[in-house]
Amino acid sequence: MTQSITAQILDGKLTSQQLVTSLGEELRMLAASQPVLPKLVVVLVGDDPASQVYVGKKAKMAVKIGMLSEVLTFPAQTSQEELVSVIRKLNADDTVHGILVQLPLPKHINTLDIITTVDPRKDVDGLHPLNLGLLMTGDPSACKPCTPAGVITLLKAYNIPMAGRHAVVLGRSNIVGKPMGMLLLQENATVSYCHSKTADLAAITRQADILVAAVGVPKMVTADFIKPGAVVVDVGINRLDGKLVGDVDFDSAAETASFITPVPGGVGPMTIATLMANTLELYKRRLGIQQ
Ligand code: NDP
């Protein structure tokens, strides 16, 4: 069967490359006049293969654009107290500007306690309750969670109008869904959240001008979930039959949507680029460098 893709691709790979190039240039200029370089420390607990890949990509990108980067790895049986003590040391270390604790953490560790231990001024992931609270109040000093902030950057790069549009966010996690809705609201979209208890899900998602899928269910969003001409953003990263797929069934969705993100090459690279942008921003704040 011949596949007819009508949707334009929202190219996260290209857009993220443009973003990191400009961040690298800014960093080079700053480095000439500043005594220290920005440093990102990524904390990885356990041996989840996907997390290892993500952490590797983040650290590599940081070095590529001229930052200092360190990955601290700990065995899966690391205790909560040990991890708290590591984070406190990083909080107190003046050479560290950004701390990222790779999620998910092993089950015996209380994730919220760990996120809350990170100094909010070094919280590059924007997941500390203080930053999420600032985001909620629309305070521009909030460090925004990387994935949803990366989605907004991508939509803006393609001049996708958000004001007055109905945005439906499929998923309500603290890391993606909830902040995604808040950021869309800040862009003056009318926002609906859907989740596993939503009744008649497709009837709601079909009302979306902008549909963001962040459910973690491979290819769940098929063409019948999508209003013709809608913009579809696929946050999902899932493995299916050895292949990386999103939460959207790309082939059918691309025949109905006007714009769509691919997986891979959509939201994933935007997340990493936004992490770099957040690290640079926190570094500048620490050094009192004006925009
Ligand atoms: P979570 O598992 O934390 O949240 C999933 C959300 O989807 C929950 O709100 C859940 O509802 C909802 N959900 C699950 N199943 C269904 C269903 N059948 N119908 C409707 N809603 C459903 O996942 P995350 O938010 O952390 O991640 C979502 C996806 O995004 C994953 O594939 C993850 O790998 C990917 N991801 C990608 C990133 C990137 O950089 N591209 C970064 C982070 C995540 P309920 O709350 O009711 O349980």
Side-chain angles (χ1 to χ4, degrees):
M1 199 178 79
T2 328
Q3 184 198 331
S4 61
I5 293 180
T6 53
Q8 192 181 329
I9 300 295
L10 294 169
D11 189 338
K13 197 169 169 202
L14 180 71
T15 308
S16 68
Q17 278 164 357
Q18 290 163 348
L19 178 58
V20 296
T21 300
S22 78
L23 291 170
E25 282 164 10
E26 186 182 355
L27 183 50
R28 257 190 304 284
M29 280 165 60
L30 285 173
S33 61
Q34 297 302 324
V36 285
L37 286 172
K39 182 172 176 182
L40 171 67
V41 176
V42 183
V43 177
L44 175 63
V45 185
D47 45 20
D48 175 55
S51 290
Q52 282 170 341
V53 172
Y54 299 146
V55 162
K57 282 185 179 176
K58 290 167 184 173
K60 212 168 128 193
M61 182 59 80
V63 171
K64 191 175 163 192
I65 69 164
M67 290 181 187
L68 303 173
S69 153
E70 196 175 345
V71 178
L72 302 179
T73 48
F74 299 92
Q77 61 274 21
T78 301
S79 72
Q80 169 109 5
E81 293 68 30
E82 283 171 296
L83 196 51
V84 164
S85 140
V86 166
I87 291 168
R88 287 200 177 130
K89 277 198 192 109
L90 294 173
N91 286 344
D93 184 342
D94 281 341
T95 68
V96 175
H97 304 90
I99 303 169
L100 182 145
V101 181
Q102 183 66 36
L103 302 179
L105 289 168
K107 290 206 173 2
H108 66 277
I109 292 177
N110 182 317
T111 301
L112 182 60
D113 280 354
I114 297 302
I115 291 172
T116 310
T117 304
V118 174
D119 183 335
R121 293 165 302 179
K122 297 188 180 188
D123 172 35
V124 272
D125 235 356
L127 296 180
H128 189 289
L130 180 74
N131 278 315
L132 288 176
L134 289 170
L135 177 68
M136 183 87 168
T137 58
D139 189 308
S141 73
C143 187
K144 296 172 187 143
C146 300
T147 300
V151 169
I152 298 289
T153 306
L154 185 59
L155 293 175
K156 286 186 174 170
Y158 282 85
N159 296 314
I160 304 289
M162 289 177 261
R165 314 308 294 278
H166 186 190
V168 175
V169 180
L170 190 41
R172 56 173 168 180
S173 69
N174 290 333
I175 185 165
V176 187
K178 279 182 200 159
M180 185 74 253
M182 291 313 303
L183 289 174
L184 286 161
L185 192 62
Q186 272 177 22
E187 297 297 331
N188 296 314
T190 303
V191 179
S192 302
Y193 284 100
C194 295
H195 46 79
S196 68
K197 307 291 186 291
T198 299
D200 205 355
L201 189 62
I204 296 171
T205 59
R206 269 199 304 270
Q207 295 171 29
D209 300 309
I210 300 169
L211 176 60
V212 182
V215 274
V217 180
K219 297 189 177 190
M220 187 184 120
V221 177
T222 46
D224 51 324
F225 280 64
I226 300 166
K227 176 162 89 175
V231 175
V232 176
V233 176
D234 189 354
V235 177
I237 302 179
N238 313 286
R239 282 216 168 265
L240 187 68
D241 303 329
K243 262 185 71 183
L244 219 53
V245 298
D247 293 341
V248 175
D249 177 35
F250 183 88
D251 292 347
S252 75
E255 293 179 20
T256 307
S258 58
F259 289 87
I260 189 166
T261 59
V263 176
V267 176
M270 291 306 298
T271 298
I272 297 177
T274 308
L275 174 66
M276 301 304 124
N278 282 356
T279 308
L280 189 56
E281 173 61 28
L282 295 186
Y283 162 82
K284 288 196 293 187
R285 283 188 204 170
R286 174 83 74 74
L287 272 65
I289 300 166
Q290 301 297 323
Q291 296 288 11

